Amino acid sequence: IRTTCTLPEEMEFVKAEGPVAFQYENGKVSFDSFLSLPPGENLIYKIFCKAISPGITKFSSCVNYYEVSYKPLIDEEGTTVYK
């Protein structure tokens, strides 16, 4: 399981937390792969940002795992950024 999140231009990366290490580069937070997740269990990833300019934008995340590697799971969350 590999998770990547894209921050909108209106936000600045502060820090990230999760069950694995991460890398941040050019507005993207990429968490290292997590090998196995038992049924009924959850993984929690947190990304902390601060507003740098106001606007209506969206935060997106993408999850890839070997069972559906041909089609990643993508989620986008609209948000209003206030400064």
Side-chain angles (χ1 to χ4, degrees):
I1 301 167
R2 182 159 176 83
T3 303
T4 304
C5 301
T6 304
L7 278 61
E9 294 177 2
E10 295 83 358
M11 294 182 182
E12 181 178 291
F13 176 78
V14 174
K15 69 178 184 173
E17 298 174 357
V20 293
F22 71 90
Q23 296 78 41
Y24 173 76
E25 186 175 347
N26 297 326
K28 290 189 184 240
V29 180
S30 298
F31 289 93
D32 290 349
S33 295
F34 194 88
L35 298 179
S36 177
L37 184 63
E41 296 295 319
N42 296 308
L43 294 176
I44 297 174
Y45 298 90
K46 295 181 182 181
I47 298 175
F48 298 85
C49 306
K50 72 175 186 176
I52 56 174
S53 63
I56 297 172
T57 189
K58 62 184 171 183
F59 178 92
S60 64
S61 61
C62 178
V63 177
N64 288 291
Y65 59 101
Y66 73 92
E67 291 173 350
V68 291
S69 60
Y70 64 94
K71 189 173 182 180
L73 302 173
I74 298 171
D75 186 34
E76 295 181 330
E77 181 72 31
T79 188
T80 301
V81 179
Y82 301 94
K83 187 168 180 186

